[in-house]
Amino acid sequence: MTLSHEERDDLLAIMEIIYGYDSQIRNYKSSFNDVTVLVVEEALAALTQCNEDMKALVVDLVGGARTLAKGWLKKVLKETKRQLSREKIKFNGLACRSITAANWKSAIIISIY
């Protein structure tokens, strides 16, 4: 099934969150369809999970380091852990974006056929 012009524009904008500007993906915009939407949805879920995993890793590392610290450093680590645990902080690092891009780009391109 095909998407409206506006839906294809929106989908491209979402993909550019993952890939940045990508002329290859942009060239396929007119062929985006419902399958493409599903694949991008899965890619975004993978990106979100990667970010959550990285956040948990950093919180765990900071939490573990706190037990080794004495004095002022312990206070700083405690605050860092508190800040990392807040829902407002999101990790959208280059590593997660790169892995997601590498793992899902070909699936997105295949979805247009």
Side-chain angles (χ1 to χ4, degrees), residues 5 7 13 32 36 50-51 56 63 67 74 78 84 94-95 105 107:
H5 181 71
E7 289 172 327
F32 291 169
T36 310
C50 179
N51 286 328
T67 61
K74 184 175 180 179
K78 189 175 218 173
L84 288 171
L94 184 57
K105 184 175 181 178

Side-chain angles (χ1 to χ4, degrees), residues 25-48:
I25 289 177
R26 193 171 270 273
N27 288 337
Y28 290 121
K29 183 177 97 170
S30 63
S31 299
F32 291 169
N33 56 54
D34 289 338
V35 176
T36 310
V37 172
L38 292 174
V39 172
V40 171
E41 183 178 311
E42 291 176 18
L44 287 171
L47 175 60
T48 301

Side-chain angles (χ1 to χ4, degrees), residues 67-83:
T67 61
L68 301 175
K70 294 183 180 184
W72 65 271
L73 185 56
K74 184 175 180 179
K75 292 177 186 175
V76 172
L77 291 174
K78 189 175 218 173
E79 176 62 19
T80 302
K81 182 178 179 182
R82 188 182 72 74
Q83 291 293 330

Side-chain angles (χ1 to χ4, degrees), residues 2-111:
T2 61
L3 303 174
S4 71
H5 181 71
E6 184 178 344
E7 289 172 327
R8 288 191 304 264
D9 286 343
D10 291 343
L11 186 57
L12 179 63
I14 291 168
M15 283 191 261
E16 287 181 345
I17 290 170
I18 299 172
Y19 300 103
Y21 177 85
D22 187 310
S23 60
Q24 183 181 23
I25 289 177
R26 193 171 270 273
N27 288 337
Y28 290 121
K29 183 177 97 170
S30 63
S31 299
F32 291 169
N33 56 54
D34 289 338
V35 176
T36 310
V37 172
L38 292 174
V39 172
V40 171
E41 183 178 311
E42 291 176 18
L44 287 171
L47 175 60
T48 301
Q49 185 60 54
C50 179
N51 286 328
E52 288 301 315
D53 291 346
M54 292 300 289
K55 180 179 173 182
L57 173 66
V58 171
V59 169
D60 289 346
L61 289 173
V62 170
R66 187 183 77 224
T67 61
L68 301 175
K70 294 183 180 184
W72 65 271
L73 185 56
K74 184 175 180 179
K75 292 177 186 175
V76 172
L77 291 174
K78 189 175 218 173
E79 176 62 19
T80 302
K81 182 178 179 182
R82 188 182 72 74
Q83 291 293 330
L84 288 171
S85 298
R86 289 179 39 207
E87 192 58 33
K88 288 183 182 178
I89 295 180
K90 302 288 184 204
F91 283 85
N92 191 14
L94 184 57
C96 286
R97 287 180 58 209
S98 296
I99 290 169
T100 301
N103 290 341
W104 290 93
K105 184 175 181 178
S106 58
I108 290 170
I109 292 171
I110 290 169
S111 75

